[in-house]
Amino acid sequence: MRLYYFGGIDTQPSIIANNFFHSNSSYATVYLIYGVTYTNIYHNSINNTSTGEAFHFNRYQSVDNRIVNNIFRANTGYAVEYQTSNAVNSIVESDYNNLFTSGSFIGRNVSTTYGTLNEWQTATGFEANAVSFDPQYQSDINLYASAPGIASAGKNLLSVVPADIDGAPRTATPSLGASQYSAAALTPLAGSYTVGVGQTYTTINAAITAMKVNGISGAVTFLLRTQTFDEQFILPSISGSSATNTITFQSQSGNAADVTLKFTASASATNYVAQLSNASFVTFKNLSFTPDGANYNRAIQVVNRADDLTFENLRITLPPIAAVTEERTAILVRPSLSTNIRFINNPITGGSHGIIHVGNSTNRSPGTVFTGNTLTDVYYRPAYFQYMAGGIFNNNTITHSGVSQGDYYGLGLEYSAGYTEIQRNRITGALGHAMRLYYFCGIDTQPSIIANNFFHSNSSYATVYLIYGVTYTNIYHNSINNTSTGEAFNFNRYQSVDNRIVNNIFRANTGYAVEYQTSNAVNSIVESDYNNLFTSGSFIGRNVSTTYGTLNEWQTATGFEANAVSFDPQYQSDINLYASAPGIASAGKNLLSVVPADIDGAPRTATPSLGASQYSAAALTPLAGSYTVGVGQTYTTINAAITAMKVNGISGAVTFLLRTQTFDEQFILPSISGSSATNTITFQSQSGNAADVT
């Protein structure tokens, strides 16, 4: 419907009531433009199933209109849009309406958009008694609502609208929209219900239908019996749900292995076992998902609005694949707007993507929690987050033992703004980046922290890659290892500011320990010191286009790392990055105020170990002087002598005297803590005769 210069009479206002209005359009379903006067818009049900607004009113030259007891439902557009703010008294009442959209913004007033009903109420002064529920229309075009939350939410308009669209009598507390209905016979759900064969609800879909019909009046828990549920379901917005009236689906036994949810999807549009659409205050926990479509393997998909969702201890197994496709994603969260999405203690195996959460580019997602998850052999993006308003990303294990995609990110965050924690993670085995941060912005008064992590990759790319717009972030006490040709740590400082890089271990194989790009980013790094820079390659670091072979050269050229060292950290293995080199056991700066413990919770000291693990070299005795090697000697093998130096370091010149015998062994002599021009290491025959030792 479109009204243009539609003038009523002040003593007898025109009335638009009890109508069904639907369109599938990028334009408004109901459009009032200019000169609308003395008109009452009461009890209409409006539905836009495309991208347009449900109700649009340009108030120019309009006066004395009332908009009450309507349902304005949009798909991805605004529920309501009002234009021309200076039209005084154009709307004398806009209240008791139901404003709902699956899109990012519930309304627009002139040029400002508002994401929630509360924001709209505060900014406009309208809708003090409004609600925001999915009306649960019978269909897109049969606009009989059924949501319990709006069955008696209206203002008494019996004097002007005594009956509904079908002639059914209205009540003193009428239903919103064109149809009158009662929720009195409905019993809202509250408490615990069993689901499965022979239970209160035989299927998950039956449980959801019960909530849709009856609403909820308290916290609801669905206990799924031990069995396999071979069904696909959509969980929408539920009337009555709130921060206290939560909805939980979990195994009855508490064991995730006892309940399996599966579905064989065959098309992208229906590629999910569970879809959450406009859902809020929902938890899924202690369940297994095994989507088994030939090419479509999503377990969980989140669309439209998403608020306060928790996914906890979900065992999700996807078929292994060597392809890049979101069709094979364990949990795919691409809502129009989202808050407080939590991923906790989920073991996920296989697939192309593990967990993807992409928020809104203008209203970034706050409250994200990603903790305690174990992601194994995910081919491309095990954990990828975009448009976050900060978040907690702690205590996760992300591993890959096979072939991953070259542009792999173990953990990727892009366009994040707000305080963020990335702590005590173990991300190993990547052929790409263990972690990649892009436009990752902290707060000047509360810098983000990346601390106590193990980062490993076997890649020609950097193990840890920070690229553009990294601000107010402290990178403390991380153990990094690149076992291929790439850098351990690469920071492109373009548009970056006020970052600190302290007490880390940067170990490369043949690549650079550290590479910094974009030299003109003033104050991009305000501190880079007390780190351990080590490579087995030719150059320890690269600054823009210049390479440096030694730590001393790097210090002189860059002004960084005045208190740095360069020792092979002697990691326990390529991926278990517990260092043992004596030279870095107490070489760190005191950061107790921000990093009081290590990756395993062991207390730090005032002179802490570099890297993620705290250890002591106090019980070690550095070698100095002469030692015999061979049968019955101080060290029985050359390898034993080398191990002693690796464990203890040296504090003076060391000579190993090899007794007369044949040593049938292979050995590798690495960098030794404490070695220098004066603290040399010598292996020679004890007799002084080369022919005596083979």
Side-chain angles (χ1 to χ4, degrees):
M1 181 177 72
R2 181 181 186 271
L3 305 180
Y4 178 71
Y5 284 99
F6 181 85
I9 305 169
D10 58 352
T11 56
Q12 187 183 17
S14 297
I15 187 166
I16 301 169
N18 286 333
N19 298 287
F20 286 173
F21 293 118
H22 164 261
S23 69
N24 187 48
S25 172
S26 59
Y27 298 103
T29 302
V30 172
Y31 188 27
L32 280 58
I33 178 171
Y34 306 163
V36 177
T37 63
Y38 305 109
T39 298
N40 295 335
I41 302 165
Y42 293 161
H43 279 293
N44 297 283
S45 295
I46 302 176
N47 193 28
N48 190 310
T49 50
S50 184
T51 59
E53 315 89 74
F55 183 76
H56 185 132
F57 185 6
N58 189 313
R59 297 168 287 180
Y60 176 70
Q61 293 185 336
S62 298
V63 67
D64 211 39
N65 299 287
R66 297 177 184 274
I67 305 165
V68 181
N69 288 1
N70 302 281
I71 300 173
F72 302 127
R73 189 196 190 285
N75 182 33
T76 60
Y78 310 122
V80 173
E81 179 169 354
Y82 292 154
Q83 288 297 329
T84 312
S85 61
N86 61 354
V88 178
N89 293 327
S90 58
I91 301 174
V92 292
E93 184 179 17
S94 182
D95 202 0
Y96 291 91
N97 297 297
N98 182 33
L99 280 62
F100 182 84
T101 180
S102 299
S104 303
F105 302 100
I106 202 167
R108 185 183 190 205
N109 190 40
V110 192
S111 60
T112 304
T113 55
Y114 301 94
T116 67
L117 176 59
N118 182 65
E119 292 171 357
W120 178 260
Q121 291 167 321
T122 302
T124 66
F126 296 133
E127 305 301 343
N129 299 285
V131 292
S132 182
F133 294 119
D134 186 333
Q136 298 173 27
Y137 287 138
Q138 191 176 100
S139 72
D140 287 348
I141 60 175
N142 289 316
L143 305 186
Y144 292 95
S146 60
I150 59 174
S152 57
K155 179 180 179 179
N156 188 338
L157 297 176
L158 284 170
S159 62
V160 284
V161 188
D164 77 352
I165 189 171
D166 295 316
R170 292 284 184 183
T171 66
T173 54
S175 305
L176 303 187
S179 63
Q180 179 69 33
Y181 62 101
S182 173
L186 304 177
T187 303
L189 276 66
S192 296
Y193 304 85
T194 55
V195 182
V197 176
Q199 307 303 306
T200 309
Y201 302 106
T202 57
T203 65
I204 297 170
N205 275 295
I208 292 171
T209 297
M211 289 193 293
K212 289 169 64 176
V213 171
N214 295 278
I216 67 175
S217 60
V220 174
T221 299
F222 294 107
L223 301 170
L224 279 60
R225 76 181 295 271
T226 299
Q227 70 175 69
T228 295
F229 292 83
D230 190 355
E231 59 178 308
Q232 183 184 55
F233 57 90
I234 298 174
L235 181 63
S237 173
I238 298 297
S239 293
S241 63
S242 67
T244 52
N245 294 355
T246 58
I247 301 167
T248 301
F249 291 84
Q250 66 182 65
S251 62
Q252 189 173 25
S253 68
N255 186 350
D258 289 344
V259 178
T260 299
L261 282 63
K262 60 181 296 231
F263 180 75
T264 305
S266 58
S268 180
T270 55
N271 183 13
Y272 53 85
V273 177
Q275 185 186 84
L276 282 67
S277 176
N278 296 305
S280 57
F281 310 108
V282 175
T283 295
F284 284 83
K285 65 186 294 188
N286 300 333
L287 303 168
S288 295
F289 286 79
T290 58
D292 58 3
N295 298 301
Y296 302 96
N297 302 114
R298 291 184 196 141
I300 298 171
Q301 182 184 35
V302 178
V303 297
N304 300 318
R305 288 292 299 266
D307 299 292
D308 288 277
L309 305 180
T310 301
F311 306 100
E312 183 175 357
N313 192 31
L314 302 181
R315 294 175 42 155
I316 303 177
T317 304
L318 306 184
I321 186 176
V324 176
T325 170
E326 287 190 11
E327 304 293 358
R328 297 174 182 264
T329 302
I331 304 177
L332 178 61
V333 183
R334 284 187 174 274
S336 56
L337 202 66
S338 58
T339 61
N340 302 323
I341 311 298
R342 295 172 286 270
F343 310 91
I344 301 171
N345 298 339
N346 300 292
I348 296 172
T349 304
S352 176
H353 298 70
I355 293 172
I356 296 177
H357 180 196
V358 177
N360 183 281
S361 61
T362 54
N363 276 27
R364 300 185 190 191
S365 181
T368 299
V369 175
F370 175 72
T371 62
N373 301 283
T374 302
L375 294 92
T376 306
D377 293 338
V378 178
Y379 181 70
Y380 185 52
R381 296 278 189 271
Y384 178 76
F385 299 85
Q386 190 178 68
Y387 302 124
M388 300 293 104
I392 307 298
F393 304 84
N394 295 341
N395 303 306
N396 301 286
T397 300
I398 301 174
T399 61
H400 204 292
S401 58
V403 176
S404 62
Q405 207 269 352
D407 193 31
Y408 171 104
Y409 312 161
L411 173 62
L413 285 93
E414 298 188 352
Y415 301 109
S416 176
Y419 173 71
T420 304
E421 292 181 14
I422 302 175
Q423 299 192 86
R424 299 178 299 278
N425 298 285
R426 299 162 195 261
I427 305 177
T428 61
L431 291 184
H433 308 295
M435 181 177 73
R436 181 182 185 272
L437 307 179
Y438 179 71
Y439 284 99
F440 178 86
C441 303
I443 304 169
D444 57 352
T445 55
Q446 187 184 19
S448 296
I449 186 165
I450 302 170
N452 285 331
N453 299 287
F454 286 175
F455 294 120
H456 162 262
S457 69
N458 187 46
S459 173
S460 59
Y461 297 105
T463 302
V464 172
Y465 188 27
L466 281 57
I467 176 171
Y468 306 164
V470 178
T471 64
Y472 305 110
T473 298
N474 296 333
I475 303 165
Y476 293 160
H477 280 294
N478 298 284
S479 294
I480 302 176
N481 193 28
N482 190 310
T483 50
S484 185
T485 60
E487 315 89 72
F489 184 77
N490 187 319
F491 185 6
N492 188 314
R493 298 166 288 180
Y494 176 70
Q495 292 186 334
S496 297
V497 67
D498 212 42
N499 299 288
R500 297 178 184 274
I501 305 165
V502 181
N503 288 0
N504 302 282
I505 300 173
F506 301 127
R507 188 196 189 285
N509 183 33
T510 60
Y512 310 121
V514 174
E515 178 170 352
Y516 292 154
Q517 288 296 329
T518 312
S519 61
N520 61 352
V522 177
N523 293 326
S524 58
I525 301 174
V526 292
E527 183 180 17
S528 183
D529 203 0
Y530 292 90
N531 298 298
N532 182 34
L533 281 61
F534 181 84
T535 182
S536 298
S538 303
F539 301 99
I540 202 167
R542 185 183 189 203
N543 190 40
V544 193
S545 60
T546 304
T547 54
Y548 301 94
T550 67
L551 176 59
N552 183 65
E553 292 172 356
W554 178 261
Q555 292 167 319
T556 302
T558 65
F560 296 133
E561 305 301 343
N563 298 284
V565 292
S566 182
F567 295 120
D568 186 333
Q570 298 170 28
Y571 288 138
Q572 190 176 101
S573 72
D574 287 347
I575 60 174
N576 289 315
L577 305 186
Y578 292 96
S580 60
I584 60 174
S586 57
K589 179 180 179 179
N590 187 339
L591 297 175
L592 284 170
S593 62
V594 284
V595 189
D598 77 351
I599 189 170
D600 296 317
R604 293 284 184 183
T605 66
T607 55
S609 305
L610 303 187
S613 62
Q614 180 69 32
Y615 62 101
S616 174
L620 304 177
T621 304
L623 277 65
S626 296
Y627 303 86
T628 56
V629 182
V631 176
Q633 306 304 305
T634 308
Y635 302 106
T636 57
T637 65
I638 298 171
N639 275 294
I642 292 171
T643 297
M645 289 192 293
K646 288 169 62 178
V647 171
N648 296 276
I650 67 174
S651 59
V654 175
T655 300
F656 293 106
L657 302 170
L658 278 60
R659 76 182 293 273
T660 300
Q661 70 174 66
T662 296
F663 292 84
D664 189 1
E665 60 179 307
Q666 183 183 52
F667 57 88
I668 297 173
L669 181 62
S671 172
I672 299 297
S673 294
S675 61
S676 66
T678 54
N679 294 356
T680 58
I681 302 167
T682 303
F683 290 83
Q684 67 181 61
S685 62
Q686 189 174 28
S687 66
N689 186 352
D692 290 344
V693 179
T694 300

